């Protein structure tokens, strides 16, 4: 006979014995929490890393991620989440990954000041070079990072063309 059916972080009593648990405590995931925390520390020190969490429905994947999100937010980091439907009839895993990176653009915009956003765009343009326009088409939200993105792309492309034409060689006929 249950004397108290309230399991919102209170005592649950059954047959005069009680079990105490905390509503927001994550149980049995210490190893995973440690692995993810270690990965975040490595990323915070400049390394690049991704962490994928898989498991059966109801196994606590979302709860695990949500329990660590506050820590990452305090450290000014980013947590990207996306649920992949294994049973989906459409097999488009690359589109799912692109969607996550598109969401990252919005998160960067939300958490960064204008100067940092401009610096991020400049770094991306240097890394991607002429392919930056392809990146911008794949990730439409990248345009939210910099309202001046169109102008930056135009300037970058002009500079790249100028550099390419000045280093060209001439052929004799």
């Amino acid at each position: 006979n249950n004397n108290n059916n309230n399991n919102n972080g209170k005592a649950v009593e059954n047959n005069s014995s009680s079990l105490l648990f905390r509503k927001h405590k994550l149980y049995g995931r210490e190893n995973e929490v440690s692995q993810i925390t270690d990965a975040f520390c490595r990323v915070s020190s400049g390394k690049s890393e991704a962490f994928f969490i898989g498991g059966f429905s109801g196994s606590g994947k979302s709860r695990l991620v949500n329990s660590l999100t506050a820590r990452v937010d305090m450290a000014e980091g980013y947590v990207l989440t996306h649920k992949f439907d294994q049973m989906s009839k459409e097999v488009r895993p690359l589109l799912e990954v692109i969607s996550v990176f598109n969401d990252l653009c919005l998160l960067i915009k939300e958490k960064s000041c204008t100067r940092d956003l401009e610096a991020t765009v400049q770094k991306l343009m240097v890394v991607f070079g002429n392919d930056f326009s392809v990146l911008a088409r794949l990730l439409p939200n990248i345009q939210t990072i910099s309202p001046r993105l169109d102008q930056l792309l135009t300037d970058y492309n002009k500079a790249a063309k100028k550099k390419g034409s000045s280093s060209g060689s001439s052929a004799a006929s």
Side-chain angles (χ1 to χ4, degrees), residues 23-24 36 42 57 104 156:
K23 182 179 180 181
H24 299 290
I36 295 169
R42 289 189 297 273
S57 177
L104 174 61
Y156 183 84

Side-chain angles (χ1 to χ4, degrees), residues 39-54:
F40 180 70
C41 290
R42 289 189 297 273
V43 169
S44 296
S45 67
K47 304 225 186 291
S48 298
E49 197 164 330
F51 214 93
F52 294 92
I53 300 171

Side-chain angles (χ1 to χ4, degrees), residues 19-54:
L19 171 66
L20 292 176
F21 67 97
R22 288 182 258 161
K23 182 179 180 181
H24 299 290
K25 169 90 171 112
L26 191 64
Y27 293 95
R29 292 290 198 154
E30 293 80 13
N31 187 35
E32 290 90 345
V33 168
S34 177
Q35 288 176 350
I36 295 169
T37 301
D38 291 348
F40 180 70
C41 290
R42 289 189 297 273
V43 169
S44 296
S45 67
K47 304 225 186 291
S48 298
E49 197 164 330
F51 214 93
F52 294 92
I53 300 171

Side-chain angles (χ1 to χ4, degrees), residues 41-166:
C41 290
R42 289 189 297 273
V43 169
S44 296
S45 67
K47 304 225 186 291
S48 298
E49 197 164 330
F51 214 93
F52 294 92
I53 300 171
F56 295 106
S57 177
S59 63
K61 301 175 298 294
S62 295
R63 178 94 164 128
L64 172 63
V65 171
N66 292 338
S67 74
L68 295 165
T69 299
R71 289 187 210 176
V72 173
D73 282 343
M74 285 190 305
E76 298 181 357
Y78 302 106
V79 175
L80 299 171
T81 61
H82 190 80
K83 292 194 180 217
F84 294 90
D85 184 6
Q86 186 176 2
M87 302 306 285
S88 174
K89 292 183 180 7
E90 295 183 41
V91 181
R92 296 180 171 182
L94 185 56
L95 291 178
E96 300 288 337
V97 173
I98 289 171
S99 174
V100 171
F101 281 104
N102 202 35
D103 291 345
L104 174 61
C105 295
L106 296 175
L107 200 53
I108 290 170
K109 165 87 169 142
E110 180 183 310
K111 290 187 167 193
S112 302
C113 67
T114 304
R115 186 184 71 229
D116 291 344
L117 292 173
E118 292 291 333
T120 299
V121 169
Q122 290 293 337
K123 287 178 188 175
L124 288 171
M125 291 174 80
V126 168
V127 169
F128 284 93
N130 293 335
D131 294 328
F132 186 81
S133 60
V134 174
L135 180 68
R137 284 194 302 268
L138 283 172
L139 306 175
N141 289 340
I142 204 166
Q143 295 181 5
T144 65
I145 292 176
S146 174
R148 298 181 332 114
L149 185 62
D150 288 335
Q151 183 60 46
L152 290 170
L153 278 172
T154 302
D155 294 347
Y156 183 84
N157 288 334
K158 282 181 185 176
K161 283 180 184 176
K162 201 179 271 189
K163 182 180 174 186
S165 65
S166 66

